[in-house]
Amino acid sequence: MSLTIAVETPLQDDVRALIAELNAVLLELTPPEHCHHLTVEQMGGADTTVFIARDGGTAVACGALKRHAGGVGEVKRMYTRPSHRGRKIGEQIVARIEATARSEGLKRLVLETGDRHHAAWKVYENAGFARCGPVLDYADVKWSVFYDKPLAG
């Protein structure tokens, strides 16, 4: 596996296809009104950094850091294609997101994930995230699980 992880624009055809795949998977697990997708165009905004994992040049996984007021960073759009699961790619992307957040002086990372996304929970918990109550402006609904991680100076 010749895996690389780099900051890339999401406004590429193969990344758009990866995000469309992610959206389809999420809609199988969570009602549409409780899915909190950033569009590819929103992911391309100045407040968001997108990490793309490629295997031999093919986009196989993604994740993003969205910045909010008060020194808060949000982990968004985490996805690994089924063909590449079990290789710790998600963990590597989360580590890159955290390193970026720390280098920018962010104080805390938060995220919202689904109540049926057990593999995602493991990735976040292994990275030192702890479950918490609702974060940012997310509603406290049964479909959502929230995590946070303080980033010490």
Side-chain angles (χ1 to χ4, degrees), residues 22-131:
L22 165 60
N23 291 343
V25 167
L26 293 177
L27 288 170
E28 289 174 4
L29 298 171
T30 307
E33 64 273 18
H34 296 291
C35 286
H36 306 287
H37 303 169
L38 285 181
T39 66
V40 173
E41 288 73 21
Q42 289 169 324
M43 291 171 67
D47 62 350
T48 305
T49 299
V50 178
F51 296 88
I52 303 297
R54 293 184 179 274
D55 184 2
T58 301
V60 297
C62 59
L65 169 63
K66 180 174 173 58
R67 293 149 191 90
H68 295 274
V72 175
E74 182 181 10
V75 178
K76 295 288 290 180
R77 309 308 347 237
M78 290 291 300
Y79 178 67
T80 301
R81 285 195 161 132
S83 61
H84 285 72
R85 291 186 186 149
R87 299 183 191 183
K88 308 283 186 201
I89 299 169
E91 285 89 341
Q92 292 176 55
I93 292 173
V94 169
R96 293 285 301 271
I97 290 170
E98 182 176 336
T100 300
R102 284 183 186 280
S103 74
E104 295 178 5
L106 297 182
K107 299 173 187 166
R108 179 177 172 223
L109 282 175
V110 299
L111 64 93
E112 180 274 342
T113 189
D115 70 321
R116 296 170 59 193
H117 301 183
H118 303 283
W121 301 350
K122 185 176 177 182
V123 169
Y124 302 131
E125 290 166 7
N126 286 344
F129 284 79
R131 283 203 185 189

Side-chain angles (χ1 to χ4, degrees), residues 8-30:
E8 296 188 24
T9 176
L11 305 175
Q12 305 172 71
D13 290 344
D14 62 342
V15 176
R16 287 178 184 276
L18 185 70
I19 299 302
E21 225 176 272
L22 165 60
N23 291 343
V25 167
L26 293 177
L27 288 170
E28 289 174 4
L29 298 171
T30 307

